[in-house]
Amino acid sequence: MTPDTEERTHLQNVLAALRAALERIETRLDDYARDIQRQKDYLWEHRAEMDHVEKIGTRQSIEQALDAGEALLARRKRLHKLLAVPYFGRVDFQRAGEDKPMDVYVGVHGFEDEASRKTLIYDWRAPIAGLFYDYELGPARYVSPAGAVSGEITLKRQFRIRDGVMEFMLDSALPILDEVLQKTLSQATNARMKDIVATIQRDQNAIIRNEAADTLIIQGVAGSGKTSIALHRIAFLLYRFKDSLSSKDILIVSPNRVFADYIANVLPELGEERVAETQMEALADELLDYKYKFQTFFEQAALLVEGGDEGLAARLRFKSSLDLIKRLDEYAEHVEAKRFSPTDLWLGRRLVPAWYLAETWAKHRTQPAKVRLERLAAAVEQNIGIHYHHDLTPEERRTLKEALRGMYRSATLRETYKQFFDWLGCPDLFRPAKGGRLEYADVFPLIHLKSRLEGLPRHHRQVKHLVVDEMQDYTPVQYAVLARLFPCKKTILGDANQSVNPITGSTAETIRAALGQGECVRLNKSYRSTWEIAQFAQRIIPNPDFVALERHGEEPRIIACKNQRAQIDLICAEIAAFRASGYTALGIVCKTQKQAERLYKALDGEAQGLNLLDAHSDVFTAGVLVCCAHLAKGLEFDQVIVPQADAENYRSDIDRQLLYIACTRAMHRLLVSHVGGPTGYLAPRGRTWPPPGDESGHVRPSPYCPLPVGEGSSESRLRRLSCSGSSA
């Protein structure tokens, strides 16, 4: 029997076992349904004659049957998924000292045949399944609950199975790469991030299975799979520590609601329940008891990109420094020493010494001032009763409370925070935003000060694992607040080159310093984009450690347009070509939200079915999407258009990072258009940009695109572009 025939026969046997298991589950579900209905009928018919104990027992029996039924429904769902794709890999592992290797088939879920008592499919998270990801043919080992197991891999195969049909089989002595990975990455994207269990690479697997790190900080280049790896890591930890960790114990801090929606399907695909998710603004609102209005991060980034506030950069630079945390802590000590000035207190002939008031006040430091004063008054009254054998009269209680309030210097949290900058000698560093709101850069320093003076709510302490995505967009003081609020294990991930605001951006090193701990790992290999697009992005922000997967495709195009009308026509032509292709997601990524909104309006009458992402969007949809670079972070598209990439629009360091973010969203196709000279960030090394004008004063077309766009219909231009469009 050939290997192909053997594997196809094995597949049919596994499918038959899965179908048999599903039939047994259906029978048991029917039995549970009849039993539950029978007990409900009995409870209803005999409710008058049943005593309280019998009623409770019957209800508990019904609840237990319901729980068992829910567990069977979850198992049925997993088996249905396995019927479509039972497994994707196989390793034959011969343990040391044994004569015959065992065949280990690896899938998204594990499956044991009840009849043979044999494990037909191993869950990808099982210890033995790590052999598939970490080793080629030859010596190998894995760590089981009983200890390390050594041996040799004698066979390694990869499969592509869809709807129970084997499309191909590949014997491989190499890491999971080339054919299977190339085929997977070449597919069109959809409206959700997908699981990557069939193509996890060795370095990714090491991160996913890292159990020891209390805080794991992942710095990964664009397209390295950071977010997907973090979600698979959560799925692994839920499997590994199922007795002590559940989905309810995990919280994800994501950059926006659209991104949260985009990644929401990954854990359910892996058989786990969805976990709670929040954004920094929502967290800040809750921690400040919804008492303060403040600017959003999105608004702050937009102001910085659009310019117009000369002092903003200076304010952000200080409020994004590690030094801010130190100065806030020093100021908190200063405030604490000055805000309560106890003196000896006489209640009739009974003395309450100042030192006792100071000590008792300090014991309740983590409470708000009002609560501290109440507890101080209660402690004084209790001690007078103990030491003087006297119960305070109502008049003495009033006198006590008035005296204590007189020792306290009252100030709101906002006033106290504003005075921090006076204390520093830099009052100009505090400036309210439009409408009297707090600037976003002030929100978490304010919360940090609150945590030092009043403490933070304790109900967040139930979180056992915190995931923070887009780590580069959060400042050290934000991490200091997260560390106080969530004293648990953490997975933090991002890319310093994808900060929408380099002034406030954090690196892995600054995050580790702010948290006081952290194991840093780097992912330098990119899988999202074709080799050509990845190399193009490297011209914008070079990274000597960057490695691009050699999946080849079309060269990115830089197209010079005669005017703005021509640029709109070009985009319309590209949209028409996209809709005629097999791709499902096209992103038109602008520098700012205002530019995205203007372009969306300009295209509204030209192209139908467009979607605009803004700060209020909460769903990611496939199709044609217009958005700004800020909201595009973390997303990926089959094709990306970056309009207005001229020297005037992209000229600062912030602009460079936004251009990099925009271009690295593309998986298969990238088009960059401009009117006039292109931005210098698109220039290959050694070439001067923009190109000089000719004698007539017109800008010469980009050498990457000898075809100026500006005449004829969109349809004729589409034909010409598809035949003559230049490549970068």
Side-chain angles (χ1 to χ4, degrees):
M1 185 182 294
T2 65
D4 182 75
T5 304
E6 178 188 350
E7 289 293 0
R8 291 183 186 278
T9 301
H10 177 79
L11 174 60
Q12 292 307 312
N13 292 336
V14 171
L15 292 175
L18 287 167
R19 293 190 189 100
L22 277 168
E23 288 178 6
R24 289 192 293 271
I25 286 176
E26 294 295 347
T27 300
R28 291 170 65 186
L29 283 172
D30 289 342
D31 291 342
Y32 275 123
R34 284 193 295 269
D35 182 55
I36 290 169
Q37 188 59 51
R38 179 184 58 77
Q39 293 191 72
K40 284 184 175 180
D41 291 343
Y42 178 83
L43 185 62
W44 175 255
E45 292 168 3
H46 299 83
R47 63 188 184 281
E49 56 207 60
M50 294 172 68
D51 61 26
H52 182 65
V53 174
E54 188 178 0
K55 287 180 181 179
I56 291 176
T58 304
R59 291 193 185 103
Q60 287 177 341
S61 178
I62 292 172
E63 289 173 2
Q64 289 171 0
L66 285 170
D67 290 342
E70 288 292 334
L72 278 178
L73 287 171
R75 178 165 169 75
R76 183 178 70 174
K77 184 177 180 180
R78 290 195 295 271
L79 292 182
H80 273 297
K81 185 164 186 175
L82 287 178
L83 269 179
V85 186
Y87 46 82
F88 49 80
R90 168 185 173 179
V91 288
D92 285 9
F93 181 67
Q94 186 167 344
R95 299 189 185 193
E98 294 187 359
D99 298 330
K100 187 179 178 181
M102 63 180 296
D103 52 353
V104 178
Y105 286 84
V106 182
V108 175
H109 304 299
F111 173 65
E112 181 182 281
D113 182 27
E114 289 185 16
S116 65
R117 309 301 296 175
K118 179 183 178 183
T119 300
L120 299 182
I121 306 169
Y122 286 88
D123 191 296
W124 68 277
R125 298 167 290 185
I128 196 170
L131 296 170
F132 177 71
Y133 298 111
D134 291 337
Y135 294 97
E136 293 81 57
L137 300 184
R141 69 190 295 273
Y142 70 94
V143 180
S144 74
V149 180
S150 298
E152 183 176 358
I153 293 177
T154 59
L155 176 71
K156 183 172 180 179
R157 279 183 181 151
Q158 299 171 68
F159 307 93
R160 184 183 178 108
I161 301 172
R162 292 292 181 269
D163 297 324
V165 177
M166 187 182 298
E167 296 181 357
F168 68 81
M169 176 189 80
L170 177 67
D171 276 318
S172 176
L174 301 173
I176 305 162
L177 193 61
D178 296 338
E179 293 175 67
V180 175
L181 183 56
Q182 295 274 6
K183 287 178 183 291
T184 301
L185 296 174
S186 297
Q187 295 173 353
T189 186
N190 56 30
R192 291 288 187 273
M193 180 179 283
K194 297 174 286 190
D195 72 72
I196 60 168
V197 292
T199 56
I200 293 171
Q201 303 300 291
R202 183 182 298 176
D203 57 343
Q204 297 173 333
N205 192 49
I207 295 171
I208 290 169
R209 294 174 185 262
N210 185 326
E211 303 174 19
D214 283 333
T215 298
L216 190 62
I217 304 172
I218 307 168
Q219 161 61 41
V221 299
S224 57
K226 301 177 294 294
T227 303
S228 191
I229 290 168
L231 293 172
H232 284 68
R233 172 170 162 75
I234 291 303
F236 170 78
L237 294 174
L238 288 170
Y239 175 90
R240 175 68 179 82
F241 301 104
K242 61 184 70 175
D243 294 332
S244 59
L245 186 69
S246 72
S247 299
K248 296 177 182 178
D249 300 323
I250 297 166
L251 178 66
I252 298 177
V253 178
S254 61
N256 53 65
R257 293 192 298 272
V258 172
F259 182 75
D261 176 69
Y262 180 65
I263 67 173
N265 203 48
V266 175
L267 285 172
E269 276 191 3
L270 297 173
E272 301 295 345
E273 295 179 8
R274 292 186 179 184
V275 302
E277 173 275 332
T278 190
Q279 285 84 48
M280 279 291 190
E281 282 94 343
L283 198 57
D285 251 338
E286 189 176 349
L287 294 175
L288 292 172
D289 302 314
Y290 304 93
K291 293 179 179 178
Y292 297 88
K293 292 184 177 180
F294 54 82
Q295 183 187 60
T296 66
F297 177 65
F298 186 81
E299 291 171 323
Q300 175 187 279
L303 285 175
L304 194 65
V305 172
E306 293 163 7
D309 187 339
E310 294 181 1
L312 179 59
R315 297 196 297 276
L316 294 183
R317 193 168 286 111
F318 173 67
K319 294 169 188 176
S320 305
S321 66
L322 282 166
D323 186 54
L324 173 69
I325 302 173
K326 178 183 176 183
R327 303 310 299 273
L328 277 170
D329 289 344
E330 292 172 354
Y331 177 66
E333 293 293 336
H334 167 77
V335 171
E336 180 65 23
K338 297 292 185 181
R339 72 193 309 189
F340 186 70
S341 303
T343 58
D344 288 347
L345 174 63
W346 288 90
L347 292 172
R349 292 180 296 173
R350 299 165 186 87
L351 172 65
V352 182
W355 63 263
Y356 173 77
L357 296 175
E359 282 188 2
T360 308
W361 175 262
K363 285 180 183 178
H364 302 289
R365 181 169 184 167
T366 59
Q367 300 298 321
K370 182 179 179 181
V371 175
R372 293 177 81 174
L373 289 170
E374 289 173 353
R375 292 189 177 181
L376 179 56
V380 168
E381 183 172 358
Q382 183 182 32
N383 273 272
I384 286 177
I386 293 171
H387 295 289
Y388 292 104
H389 306 290
H390 173 72
D391 293 331
L392 294 184
T393 65
E395 181 62 30
E396 287 173 328
R397 287 195 190 95
R398 283 193 293 271
T399 301
L400 170 62
K401 291 179 179 180
E402 288 174 4
L404 294 178
R405 282 196 294 269
M407 299 176 193
Y408 175 74
R409 295 184 180 180
S410 177
T412 66
L413 181 62
R414 178 168 175 152
E415 288 171 347
T416 304
Y417 176 69
K418 182 181 179 182
Q419 291 166 7
F420 166 61
F421 298 98
D422 297 329
W423 178 78
L424 284 174
C426 304
D428 291 342
L429 288 177
F430 181 83
R431 182 182 298 179
K434 186 177 180 181
R437 298 177 299 165
L438 287 168
E439 283 192 325
Y440 182 74
D442 287 314
V443 174
F444 279 87
L446 178 73
I447 293 171
H448 182 74
L449 184 62
K450 179 184 179 182
S451 76
R452 292 302 308 270
L453 296 176
E454 302 175 5
L456 294 176
R458 287 187 169 271
H459 63 275
H460 289 287
R461 304 295 174 92
Q462 65 188 14
V463 174
K464 295 181 180 178
H465 200 107
L466 180 72
V467 180
V468 181
D469 206 344
E470 300 297 343
M471 68 181 190
Q472 69 278 358
D473 288 337
Y474 307 127
T475 61
V477 72
Q478 286 177 295
Y479 285 105
V481 169
L482 290 177
R484 278 179 169 266
L485 195 60
F486 304 105
C488 61
K489 292 194 172 186
K490 301 175 181 66
T491 300
I492 301 171
L493 56 139
D495 178 14
N497 287 330
Q498 294 186 63
S499 173
V500 295
N501 180 358
I503 293 176
T504 65
S506 291
T507 64
E509 290 71 25
T510 57
I511 293 168
R512 180 165 55 184
L515 295 176
Q517 63 170 343
E519 178 182 331
C520 297
V521 294
R522 294 187 178 274
L523 293 170
N524 293 320
K525 190 159 194 174
S526 177
Y527 301 93
R528 175 188 296 137
S529 305
T530 62
W531 190 88
E532 289 76 11
I533 294 172
Q535 295 305 314
F536 180 88
Q538 281 297 292
R539 296 214 306 258
I540 301 171
I541 299 182
N543 179 354
D545 299 321
F546 180 90
V547 179
L549 178 72
E550 288 204 36
R551 176 176 69 85
H552 290 282
E554 299 177 12
E555 290 281 354
R557 291 170 292 156
I558 302 177
I559 296 185
C561 299
K562 185 176 180 180
N563 50 42
Q564 294 296 341
R565 178 67 255 176
Q567 188 165 226
I568 295 297
D569 289 343
L570 168 66
I571 295 172
C572 290
E574 287 294 313
I575 292 173
F578 160 76
R579 286 178 171 152
S581 71
Y583 293 131
T584 57
L586 167 63
I588 305 174
V589 186
C590 301
K591 187 180 87 168
T592 68
Q593 185 62 28
K594 288 182 179 179
Q595 290 176 9
E597 290 170 358
R598 285 196 295 266
L599 181 61
Y600 176 76
K601 289 179 182 178
L603 292 171
D604 192 36
E606 305 284 343
Q608 301 300 315
L610 274 63
N611 292 298
L612 174 69
L613 280 188
D614 60 24
H616 305 292
S617 300
D618 54 13
V619 176
F620 178 83
T621 56
V624 182
L625 207 62
V626 183
C627 63
C628 65
H630 183 163
L631 292 179
K633 283 194 314 170
L635 307 180
E636 59 184 29
F637 304 90
D638 296 307
Q639 181 178 349
V640 167
I641 299 172
V642 184
Q644 298 173 271
D646 55 78
E648 180 64 24
N649 196 30
Y650 287 95
R651 56 184 178 178
S652 69
D653 287 341
I654 295 175
D655 297 341
R656 179 199 289 261
Q657 302 224 210
L658 294 174
L659 183 62
Y660 178 81
I661 292 169
C663 292
T664 54
R665 301 307 94 200
M667 296 175 63
H668 310 299
R669 292 178 181 171
L670 173 63
L671 182 145
V672 181
S673 65
H674 60 90
V675 176
T679 172
Y681 299 138
L682 297 176
R685 296 175 190 175
R687 191 184 294 271
T688 302
W689 287 85
D694 59 23
E695 292 180 0
S696 65
H698 297 111
V699 175
R700 293 195 195 118
S702 161
Y704 294 123
C705 181
L707 175 67
V709 179
E711 298 176 357
S713 68
S714 298
E715 186 177 346
S716 65
R717 269 191 288 281
L718 173 60
R719 287 197 297 270
R720 291 194 295 164
L721 287 169
S722 63
C723 298
S724 310
S726 170
S727 297

